[in-house]
Amino acid sequence: MWRIPQRMKRILFSAYCGSCGILLFANKVAWTIDLIGNSMYPAIHSNDKALIEYLTVSNYRVQKGDVVILKNPYKPTHLVCKRIIGMEHDYITNEDGKIIKVPKGHVWIEGDNKADSEDSRDYGPVPYGLLESRVFFRWWPTRRMGPIKLPGEEDILETRVKSGLYLSRSKESEEQ
């Protein structure tokens, strides 16, 4: 019968605890992701690498303009990256002029590159439960390293609202 030295036990215990800590951090706090596809161009290019965090989604703190990772409603085993355009109780005017109220517990998501994006315009409001994480920082390529935001964010959102495609407030708040 052999014995494990006390020092080796401490090393193994530390490695075990460290591994558990890394797994907990990766699954509950933040991690890195490869972003593939052109639906979020120009804000995100295909093959960008970014940091994602889970706390904003799990604490129901997402807001309009956030870029999120979510399960594709048509293919739940696939993840997609989109921007939140509308929150529950917002009114969205689609391309046919039809006004859609985002139901409670749902968000309206779209890709920044409308011509190359399958999003809420195709499958309607998305249940909040499909949201996985929020993309908050691009770390690769280094020449574009920094927080994820839409170039000219205010201009583009303002243009969408002015064009009548997106109403930013609920009808109730406009009546008050």
Side-chain angles (χ1 to χ4, degrees):
M1 192 157 110
W2 52 280
R3 291 188 49 182
I4 299 174
Q6 191 65 28
R7 181 180 166 128
M8 182 60 79
K9 286 181 183 178
R10 278 190 290 236
I11 291 171
L12 290 173
F13 181 74
S14 296
Y16 174 77
C17 289
S19 298
C20 290
I22 289 170
L23 286 173
L24 179 66
F25 186 82
N27 288 314
K28 299 294 181 191
V29 181
W31 201 241
T32 184
I33 192 167
D34 294 337
L35 301 167
I36 299 169
N38 292 316
S39 71
M40 289 301 295
Y41 183 84
I44 298 171
H45 298 204
S46 189
N47 298 315
D48 281 359
K49 297 180 186 331
L51 296 175
I52 57 173
E53 58 89 12
Y54 303 98
L55 297 175
T56 301
V57 172
S58 63
N59 291 324
Y60 301 95
R61 300 254 189 237
V62 294
Q63 52 191 305
K64 285 184 216 177
D66 283 349
V67 176
V68 294
I69 303 294
L70 64 141
K71 292 178 185 171
N72 184 324
Y74 290 160
K75 302 174 211 152
T77 58
H78 292 78
L79 295 176
V80 294
C81 178
K82 305 293 178 193
R83 186 176 302 277
I84 295 178
I85 300 298
M87 302 296 290
E88 60 185 34
H89 307 301
D90 282 351
Y91 289 87
I92 307 292
T93 305
N94 70 10
E95 291 154 347
D96 299 332
K98 182 181 174 189
I99 296 175
I100 300 162
K101 182 177 181 180
V102 180
K104 183 175 177 134
H106 290 68
V107 294
W108 188 271
I109 52 111
E110 289 187 10
D112 291 347
N113 182 1
K114 291 175 88 171
D116 194 15
S117 180
E118 183 180 85
D119 48 38
S120 286
R121 294 171 297 138
D122 301 299
Y123 37 72
V126 174
Y128 197 90
L130 293 181
L131 301 182
E132 296 273 320
S133 58
R134 181 178 70 94
V135 181
F136 69 96
F137 190 85
R138 176 188 8 255
W139 63 270
W140 188 263
T142 55
R143 70 182 181 282
R144 288 184 317 179
M145 182 184 295
I148 298 287
K149 48 185 154 173
L150 185 62
E153 184 172 349
E154 292 80 20
D155 298 342
I156 290 175
L157 289 174
E158 185 177 304
T159 302
R160 288 179 173 176
V161 171
K162 282 183 181 175
S163 69
L165 289 177
Y166 303 97
L167 303 176
S168 60
R169 289 171 284 191
S170 65
K171 287 183 180 178
E172 293 91 280
S173 65
E174 287 181 7
E175 291 173 359
Q176 294 177 354

